[in-house]
Amino acid sequence: MNKQYNVGLYARLSVVDSANSQKRGTPFRNESASIENQKAILREYSLLRGWNIMHEYVDDGFSGGSYNRPAFHRMLDDAKAGLINLILVKDLSRLGRDYIETGRYTDEVFPALGVRFIALMDNLDSAGDIDLLPFRSLLNDYHLKDLSRKIKSATHMNAKNGNYIGSCPYGFIKNPENPARLAIDEYAAGVVRKIFTMRSKGISCNKIAATLNGEGVLAPRAYYYDRKGTQNPCGGNNAWQFPTILTFLKNEAYLGHSVKLKSGTMSYKNKQRINKSKENWVRCENTHPAIVSQELWDAAQSKRKGSSFAPVTPANKKPLFYGVLRCEGCGGVFTYATKRKTLATGQIANYVAYTCCLYSHSGRSICSPHSISELTLLEILRQDIRRRLEQSHYDESRVINVIHACIESGDDANRKLDKLSKQLAELESKCAKLYEKRLNGTIALGTFKTISASYEEERVKKLDERDKLAKKIAEADRQAVNTEKWRADVRSFLALENPSREIINVLIERIEVGENEGKRKHKRQSIKIFFRDVGQVS
């Protein structure tokens, strides 16, 4: 008896090919024509063999040099769950071009999961002879390495020739006569000169940012989209901030020089960005018109010496609540600094204080000084957790009921999922028989197309239902454990005299800090604590 295969069809298209396909235009929304062609070939191959197509996994616009692809990992999860036992790709390069990783998946991971692998056009099948697989994989890897070398060589040559690589710095536009060179944008250049002039007079970066915001000068990102006549698709804050001013003051492009390739990737396989040493930078002088003179530059630099970002804690480590605090007013994250205060005994004590970063970077022109000390915040958190734990003692039955409801909901979804899987298998069997009839000439082409389209529409609909059910089951499982997990986490927190930042991150999703109202003993402040997994417990 032949083994019944539940197939996962995998299609991938690289970033470059996807972009070229989009330029040509395709009739398929959100997918390139090449992707659709891959899927059509794989569907027909599967249906002619009577295999069940369980799901189609598509990574459109992802490089084959990395396996960090969402659809690939969904396919791998389905294989681990036993939903598919055969992976079908058009050719080996669609699976990936990394020689080592591709070999690990085809030689170790897929066999360990009991999954058969077929690369159709390369005639590679793990159920038969795959002696040529390592050689094809090595050629794919070499292609990727050679392409990366050529791109880097061309980029380096452009930089050495003084051509500007990347987006134009604020204050410049691309030269209409030579797009590889820069020309001055007079309005923005005037803002840049004002920044350098103010700094040369000793005005701090924070005050410069606050002045520009107060005068209604558009920040670089807002100005860019204003010139295009569109809105910023990413939204977010569009104000001048301290780091932006500091970056401008260090940018030699304003002197007319081009300093490029300060960073790069670790390798053609590892795309993690790394900073290069100064001797590996490509620096070309007088490649475009200068916005500031050398004298003004030197005057501004003399005032910039010794400036830095917010001071760190005495132990040179990030403090407890770093990364979890948000401003209730503007939504900005909180920065921190180590401060000093004089105790009643006359001794000097250090403590960590948190302040809204938008206030810290831009002054009162954007936000007010929402601030709080670490000791105060830690005590508020302890008191809040103790109170909530005491309140939860009488609500044990509610916790149990929630867990039981989640389990029952998950069981019901599992039954529906099994029913859908059987219906999909029956549908695949009908499709296979339909193909056989067409090949035998017992059914007309028009009838075949009509019935085939109907089957495909029904199959896509049921696949969508199955995916939604799978998500519902996962959510039910998560909810069933979250409440008890939260109780265990907070009890562990209270048991520790000096909790670490790692424990805070496990327990807390975010804390919203409101404005300070009143002074000293009458001081009041809104603090909203959102616990991880269970949200804002009230």
Side-chain angles (χ1 to χ4, degrees), residues 14 118 153 179 201 237 271 310 313 328 347 435 442 472 494:
S14 68
I118 298 177
S153 177
K201 295 178 180 178
N237 174 60
K271 300 302 180 182
T313 55
E328 189 180 52
Q347 293 179 316
Y435 268 92
T442 57
K472 184 177 180 180
L494 291 174

Side-chain angles (χ1 to χ4, degrees), residues 40-257:
I41 292 170
L42 300 178
R43 281 181 200 147
E44 184 174 358
Y45 185 83
S46 300
L47 291 172
L48 286 174
R49 281 152 184 77
W51 296 340
N52 297 327
I53 301 176
M54 299 302 292
H55 201 77
E56 296 172 352
Y57 307 90
V58 177
D59 281 318
D60 197 353
F62 287 85
S63 169
S66 169
Y67 275 90
N68 187 21
R69 303 176 228 136
F72 177 81
H73 283 287
R74 285 199 303 273
M75 179 176 69
L76 206 59
D77 290 340
D78 286 351
K80 291 176 182 177
L83 296 177
I84 59 175
N85 58 4
L86 192 155
I87 292 174
L88 183 62
V89 297
K90 178 175 171 285
D91 57 65
L92 190 60
S93 67
R94 297 307 94 198
L95 182 69
R97 293 187 181 275
D98 185 319
Y99 170 68
I100 296 175
E101 277 296 283
T102 300
R104 186 174 73 85
Y105 280 109
T106 56
D107 295 346
E108 299 177 17
V109 178
F110 295 160
L113 295 174
V115 173
R116 180 179 174 185
F117 172 74
I118 298 177
L120 192 57
M121 297 303 180
D122 292 329
N123 198 26
L124 297 173
D125 186 343
S126 63
D129 187 3
I130 56 172
D131 290 343
L132 290 177
L133 191 149
F135 297 101
R136 291 196 180 277
S137 183
L138 187 60
L139 288 173
N140 288 330
D141 189 277
Y142 177 77
H143 169 78
L144 190 68
K145 183 177 182 180
D146 186 54
L147 184 64
S148 174
R149 179 183 59 79
K150 289 177 179 177
I151 292 173
K152 285 184 177 180
S153 177
T155 303
H156 195 271
M157 184 59 65
N158 273 328
K160 286 187 70 174
N161 290 336
N163 295 332
Y164 207 86
I165 304 169
S167 58
C168 299
Y170 180 81
F172 292 100
I173 57 174
K174 287 187 176 181
N175 191 324
E177 298 178 0
N178 183 2
R181 301 286 172 158
L182 299 178
I184 291 179
D185 176 354
E186 290 301 338
Y187 170 79
V191 177
V192 172
R193 293 188 190 100
K194 181 173 183 177
I195 290 172
F196 275 87
T197 301
M198 292 177 72
R199 189 63 186 131
S200 68
K201 295 178 180 178
I203 300 175
S204 69
C205 294
N206 301 68
K207 289 185 178 180
I208 294 173
T211 300
L212 295 175
N213 288 325
E215 294 176 354
V217 178
L218 292 177
R221 185 179 295 274
Y223 178 68
Y224 170 79
Y225 286 105
D226 183 68
R227 288 184 68 238
K228 289 180 65 177
T230 60
Q231 290 187 340
N232 180 3
C234 300
N237 174 60
N238 288 319
W240 288 92
Q241 296 187 40
F242 160 75
T244 306
I245 303 297
L246 195 58
T247 300
F248 280 18
L249 294 171
K250 296 188 291 184
N251 193 345
E252 289 189 67
Y254 298 126
L255 278 174
H257 309 326

Side-chain angles (χ1 to χ4, degrees), residues 396 398-411 471-487 533-534:
E396 294 287 346
R398 175 182 171 275
V399 173
I400 294 171
N401 289 336
V402 168
I403 293 173
H404 285 169
C406 289
I407 293 172
E408 290 173 4
S409 174
D411 289 342
K471 289 179 181 179
K472 184 177 180 180
I473 292 170
E475 179 63 18
D477 292 341
R478 188 185 70 82
Q479 289 181 356
V481 300
N482 277 351
T483 304
E484 283 302 313
K485 181 179 181 299
W486 175 78
R487 288 169 61 81
D533 297 321
V534 295

